Amino acid sequence: MGEFDLIKRFFTRDTRAPQPGVALGIGDDCAVLGPTPGAQWLVSTDMLVEGRHFLSTVAPERLGHKALAVNLSDLAACGATPRAFTLALALPRADEVFLEGLARGLFALADAHGIALVGGDTTAGPLNLCITVMGEAPAGQALLRSGARAGDDLYVSGSLGDARLALEAFRGSVSLSAQDFETARRAMECPQPRVALGQALRGLAHSAIDVSDGFVGDLGHVLARSGLGATVQADALPRGAALAHQPLALQRLCTLSGGDDYELIFSAPPAARAAVQAASAASATPVTRVGRLEAEPGLRLLDAQGQALDWAVASFDHFKS
Amino acid sequence: MGEFDLIKRFFTRDTRAPQPGVALGIGDDCAVLGPTPGAQWLVSTDMLVEGRHFLSTVAPERLGHKALAVNLSDLAACGATPRAFTLALALPRADEVFLEGLARGLFALADAHGIALVGGDTTAGPLNLCITVMGEAPAGQALLRSGARAGDDLYVSGSLGDARLALEAFRGSVSLSAQDFETARRAMECPQPRVALGQALRGLAHSAIDVSDGFVGDLGHVLARSGLGATVQADALPRGAALAHQPLALQRLCTLSGGDDYELIFSAPPAARAAVQAASAASATPVTRVGRLEAEPGLRLLDAQGQALDWAVASFDHFKS
């Protein structure tokens, strides 16, 4: 069976019962989508390359999951309802086991979020996955990095750092128990985009971003776009279950600078604390209040004793690639 | 200057004066777009890989042009008005000359078609360009492959075959004069997407597709989706200026099976002939009537004498990679 027959076999689905907003899926020069009247359309694209975004050891199913998850996470950060995505794929060879697994992981996550594959492209080439996602939000309600206000509480969803811990274990710089390794590896390979939380925060949070590069770096984007500073209780950052067994220095490294977490950082006014807890409960997504946004520029990290933590001094060069 | 500074330098543009339909461009987790009320949204994605879609000898400016052109051609085939696109880029290294040229070619074509770059991603990796385009058409007016009807006239825009001729010249299988080589090379590297023609054909053409794989193959998609057959005057297919200097057998190969042409094949009822000519004139795009769609399945190719041309016998294995 040739490459294109394989692609067709695994990536063509019955589109006779169209999903909401999809007038025409795969099979023409373009997909035809029908935006909900009054909605804005949110778009993001991510490209995944072997060695940069995933290791060659990843199971195809998990790769399919992750390729879509990191894109859904961008929609989540904007509070959007996922609608449609395209997939472009460069493959070094037509491998049936690989494609079957990739499609399975991809569609399982797509179905869980009601998002339809509406277009694609396949070519021979070094392994590369490029997904573009589209979602909707009522006009003016998308959560943006620029909306944060001084005095806002700062929150983070779920937990941070296990994905980075897994990477360090793969690199051989830390040694984990079998159970912690599996926990951390799952965090790295199977991130859960916080789509339900993002939607629940519409009209409530002032700003949001997802954690792809690391808490400090991504919070920095919010501060820069909003023209604000922040004080963060660094040791209050929720850490992953595997990371919790590690020394404090490694915990700080992985929660503050880990990356690949795909949790949401968001801000909301103190008056909305009960509503934020309700949104957390409604979306079955834990959230932790970790600091406060302030007019004074800069990021101030405090340890558990309330002492300033000089993160610039806490070297992580040892771990950075 | 690092990779990301270079990207920022060449691909960040002033978005304070937003383009139609773009509420927020690059800089957040998602772009925010405002579809025109009542419009449908058309989406297509194409991934370009070195050696498959372009040669390593291509000038960066032409590569930038072509990466967007092949995507705009999909919007043209649906009669859509271009609105927004995303660009994901894997680069083996940060090369200032390359990126400057790429951005220049890309934005020149984007500006010519009023389409805004609204999102992107950049990573280190083997050279790969993935563009997703979005456009609009009034609800129900998108041109589709499936709309063709028996009795329709069959048309093709512009001319065919010069892109394939250039590829053969690069492969060394044909030898061209310097002028013909430049003409053919420009066709291969700088295709002009027929966006204006596509829009002019809305409400007029019954079906359309763009020629990326070759006339016979792409017409086959229309016939399959519409459940029809066709008779085509093969020697009436408009041939490129360089190809016109070549022997008839090579002309037939390059027009029928060349590929990479990015012209439109479309069908319209005979009663619309004057209107088709008016659309051609209004969009300053030549169109040629080359055959007719019929209820009888299959593709019948006729030569200039009206004799059946057995294309399966006219071997082109010599040229196929």
Side-chain angles (χ1 to χ4, degrees):
Chain A
M1 188 176 287
E3 178 187 327
F4 293 98
D5 292 324
L6 275 174
I7 297 290
K8 198 169 173 182
R9 177 165 150 206
F10 293 120
F11 289 93
T12 305
R13 311 181 90 194
D14 188 347
T15 53
R16 283 171 300 180
Q19 291 184 254
V22 179
L24 181 71
I26 289 178
D28 213 294
D29 291 280
C30 294
V32 184
L33 308 175
T36 304
Q40 285 180 318
W41 204 240
L42 289 97
V43 180
S44 183
T45 193
D46 274 299
M47 177 174 269
L48 277 74
V49 174
E50 187 171 314
R52 298 287 296 189
H53 305 94
F54 57 91
L55 303 176
S56 60
T57 51
V58 70
E61 184 172 358
R62 289 190 170 187
L63 179 57
H65 172 99
K66 185 166 180 175
L68 182 57
V70 304
N71 279 281
L72 283 171
S73 185
D74 286 316
L75 289 180
C78 290
T81 303
R83 288 295 184 212
F85 72 104
T86 60
L87 167 68
L89 202 52
L91 294 168
R93 72 199 74 81
D95 178 326
E96 183 166 345
V97 171
F98 175 82
L99 286 171
E100 189 277 331
L102 188 76
R104 188 154 31 86
L106 187 82
F107 284 125
L109 187 65
D111 291 346
H113 290 280
I115 188 168
L117 178 64
V118 299
D121 192 18
T122 314
T123 179
L127 185 56
N128 184 307
L129 296 90
C130 183
I131 287 182
T132 303
V133 286
M134 287 150 277
E136 290 186 323
Q141 289 194 27
L143 304 176
L144 302 178
R145 300 176 181 181
S146 54
R149 298 179 205 165
D152 276 0
D153 290 329
L154 188 68
Y155 297 86
V156 65
S157 69
S159 66
L160 302 172
D162 267 2
R164 175 63 180 270
L165 183 66
L167 183 60
E168 296 304 333
F170 274 109
R171 286 173 170 169
S173 63
V174 298
S175 179
L176 302 179
S177 72
Q179 190 183 335
D180 280 353
F181 179 69
E182 278 313 309
T183 299
R185 182 180 190 166
R186 169 168 283 275
M188 181 175 80
E189 295 179 344
C190 287
Q192 297 299 325
R194 301 304 194 178
V195 174
L197 176 63
Q199 290 178 60
L201 292 173
R202 286 200 305 234
L204 184 60
H206 284 158
S207 70
I209 191 171
D210 74 322
V211 187
S212 53
D213 295 335
F215 178 86
V216 167
D218 289 315
L219 174 58
H221 293 307
V222 173
L223 300 183
R225 298 279 289 191
S226 298
L228 296 173
T231 294
V232 170
Q233 318 296 323
D235 292 334
L237 288 171
R239 59 216 65 194
L243 184 61
H245 299 148
Q246 298 298 317
L248 182 61
L250 185 56
Q251 290 187 11
R252 285 176 175 164
L253 163 73
C254 292
T255 52
L256 289 167
S257 305
D260 237 13
D261 297 298
Y262 304 102
E263 296 293 350
L264 298 187
I265 300 173
F266 62 97
S267 77
R273 282 181 191 174
V276 167
Q277 287 310 315
S280 165
S283 60
T285 309
V287 305
T288 306
R289 185 155 52 88
V290 297
R292 201 169 63 141
L293 299 186
E294 295 153 349
E296 187 189 343
L299 175 58
R300 291 159 288 283
L301 296 173
L302 304 182
D303 67 15
Q305 285 71 47
Q307 299 299 306
L309 188 67
D310 188 351
W311 187 238
V313 171
S315 170
F316 50 92
D317 282 348
H318 173 60
F319 291 98
K320 277 281 181 189
S321 60
Chain B
M1 190 177 285
E3 179 186 327
F4 292 98
D5 292 324
L6 275 174
I7 297 291
K8 198 169 172 182
R9 176 163 151 208
F10 293 120
F11 288 92
T12 304
R13 307 181 92 196
D14 187 347
T15 54
R16 282 171 299 179
Q19 292 184 252
V22 179
L24 180 71
I26 289 178
D28 213 294
D29 291 280
C30 294
V32 184
L33 308 175
T36 304
Q40 285 180 316
W41 204 239
L42 289 96
V43 180
S44 184
T45 193
D46 274 299
M47 177 175 270
L48 276 74
V49 174
E50 185 170 315
R52 299 288 294 189
H53 305 94
F54 57 91
L55 303 175
S56 59
T57 50
V58 69
E61 183 172 2
R62 289 190 169 187
L63 179 58
H65 173 99
K66 185 166 181 176
L68 182 58
V70 304
N71 278 282
L72 284 171
S73 185
D74 286 315
L75 290 180
C78 290
T81 304
R83 289 294 185 214
F85 72 104
T86 60
L87 166 68
L89 202 52
L91 294 169
R93 73 200 73 82
D95 178 325
E96 183 166 347
V97 171
F98 176 82
L99 286 170
E100 189 278 331
L102 188 77
R104 187 153 33 86
L106 186 83
F107 284 125
L109 187 65
D111 290 345
H113 291 280
I115 189 169
L117 177 63
V118 298
D121 192 19
T122 314
T123 179
L127 186 56
N128 184 307
L129 296 91
C130 183
I131 288 182
T132 303
V133 286
M134 288 150 276
E136 290 186 322
Q141 289 194 27
L143 304 176
L144 301 178
R145 300 175 180 182
S146 55
R149 297 177 207 169
D152 276 0
D153 291 328
L154 188 67
Y155 297 86
V156 65
S157 69
S159 66
L160 301 172
D162 267 1
R164 176 61 179 273
L165 184 65
L167 183 60
E168 297 304 334
F170 273 110
R171 285 171 170 168
S173 63
V174 298
S175 179
L176 302 179
S177 71
Q179 189 183 336
D180 280 354
F181 179 69
E182 277 313 308
T183 299
R185 181 180 191 167
R186 169 167 282 274
M188 181 176 81
E189 296 179 343
C190 287
Q192 296 300 323
R194 300 304 194 179
V195 175
L197 176 64
Q199 290 179 60
L201 292 173
R202 285 201 305 233
L204 183 60
H206 285 158
S207 70
I209 191 171
D210 73 323
V211 187
S212 51
D213 295 336
F215 178 87
V216 167
D218 289 315
L219 175 59
H221 294 307
V222 173
L223 301 182
R225 299 278 291 192
S226 299
L228 297 173
T231 294
V232 169
Q233 318 297 324
D235 291 334
L237 287 172
R239 60 216 63 197
L243 185 61
H245 300 148
Q246 297 298 316
L248 182 61
L250 185 57
Q251 290 188 10
R252 286 176 175 164
L253 163 74
C254 292
T255 53
L256 289 166
S257 304
D260 236 13
D261 296 299
Y262 305 102
E263 297 292 351
L264 298 187
I265 300 171
F266 62 96
S267 78
R273 282 181 192 173
V276 167
Q277 288 311 314
S280 165
S283 60
T285 310
V287 305
T288 306
R289 184 154 53 87
V290 297
R292 201 169 63 140
L293 299 186
E294 296 154 348
E296 187 189 343
L299 174 59
R300 291 159 288 281
L301 296 173
L302 303 182
D303 66 16
Q305 286 70 47
Q307 300 299 305
L309 187 68
D310 189 350
W311 187 237
V313 171
S315 169
F316 49 92
D317 283 347
H318 172 60
F319 292 99
K320 277 281 183 189
S321 60

